[in-house]
Amino acid sequence: MILLEDEIVVRSFWGPREESVEAAVERWVELSGRLTGIGGTVFSSWTNADDEPQPLEFSVEGLQRELAHREEKFGPRGRLGFSMSAHIDDGDLPRVSLSSTVGACGSYVGNSLVLTLYVWEQKQGGLWTPMAGDLLRAVAEACEPDWGEVRNDALADAQNENPQITVGTPRAGYVTYLSSNRRARVSGEVPGRTRQATDGGLLIDMTEDGRFPELDAVAELDRRLRDSGALVEIPESQERL
């Protein structure tokens, strides 16, 4: 195994939203279908996150079995929602991990979906980057989050130096998703390609020719969105802004 050089993270967050186990499973099944439509067999051969990983089938029946297994192992979560973790790490395919919480509705509890794409060969960076916009769109349309982004270690490190960006707060990424209400706050043109998601949200894609933009370009987008009020924190009492 070649040492990891970087990881590309596609992530999305939203506030309290009570959902049934059936609704949570439907979101994950929809996402799995969208991922396969984008990357084909790259997004296959999932296993769960047990100490001895077992194959995980992204179907209604397969995910319901997984949630029942987790409840038996960890106990019922109640208002903490339904959580699921899965990995692809069979040696023949690029390494991927997925973690998600859906249906959390208690105080100070959030929902999320995070897809981590590991880069352990230079060619894999070239594999993931052209997919970045479509991957965030898939996550956004399956989960209907408040905001989302695509980032890597270099962008995360740069944003850690910005005092306006604190842990867990919305921010711009190489690709950015804003809910419909956040979209309404965006004034003027923004750099990159924009697309509307099926839920009315806005996708801002700054990738070009399969490459991520310079960090300064993301910082400028973040400043514009922050000045317009599109990157305020997620209200603790709401699923979305």
Side-chain angles (χ1 to χ4, degrees), residues 28 31-33 35-36 40-49 53-59 63 66 84-90 93-99 113-118 128:
W28 293 329
L31 176 64
S32 175
L35 294 180
T36 302
T41 57
V42 169
F43 294 107
S44 61
S45 302
W46 292 98
T47 61
N48 63 17
Q54 299 298 315
L56 178 60
E57 180 185 347
F58 268 79
S59 66
L63 289 172
E66 176 65 15
M84 181 270 295
S85 296
H87 306 283
I88 298 171
D89 191 13
D90 69 356
L93 295 170
R95 187 177 169 212
V96 178
S97 69
L98 185 155
S99 62
L113 192 142
V114 179
L115 182 68
T116 305
L117 314 167
Y118 295 92
W128 298 129

Side-chain angles (χ1 to χ4, degrees), residues 91-203:
D92 294 325
L93 295 170
R95 187 177 169 212
V96 178
S97 69
L98 185 155
S99 62
S100 180
T101 296
V102 174
C105 56
S107 300
Y108 308 107
V109 177
N111 295 283
S112 63
L113 192 142
V114 179
L115 182 68
T116 305
L117 314 167
Y118 295 92
V119 180
W120 48 269
E121 289 184 354
Q122 186 63 38
K123 64 183 181 183
Q124 289 187 0
L127 167 68
W128 298 129
T129 308
M131 297 184 191
D134 289 334
L135 292 175
L136 183 57
R137 182 173 188 168
V139 169
E141 294 187 341
C143 295
E144 300 176 298
D146 186 74
W147 72 280
E149 65 161 347
V150 175
R151 67 191 304 197
N152 62 4
D153 292 344
L155 180 56
D157 290 344
Q159 292 181 330
N160 285 340
E161 302 298 320
N162 186 338
Q164 291 187 296
I165 301 177
T166 57
V167 175
T169 58
R171 67 202 63 193
Y174 297 126
V175 188
T176 308
Y177 167 81
L178 302 172
S179 67
S180 56
N181 286 336
R182 290 184 184 275
R183 175 188 183 184
R185 298 187 176 200
V186 177
S187 57
E189 294 185 358
V190 294
R193 300 182 305 282
T194 59
R195 291 185 285 176
Q196 182 173 321
T198 55
D199 65 347
L202 178 67
L203 284 147

Side-chain angles (χ1 to χ4, degrees), residues 6-20:
D6 197 3
E7 57 188 48
I8 296 170
V9 182
V10 182
R11 60 185 199 153
S12 64
F13 302 92
W14 60 104
R17 180 197 296 164
E18 185 173 6
E19 297 193 63
S20 67

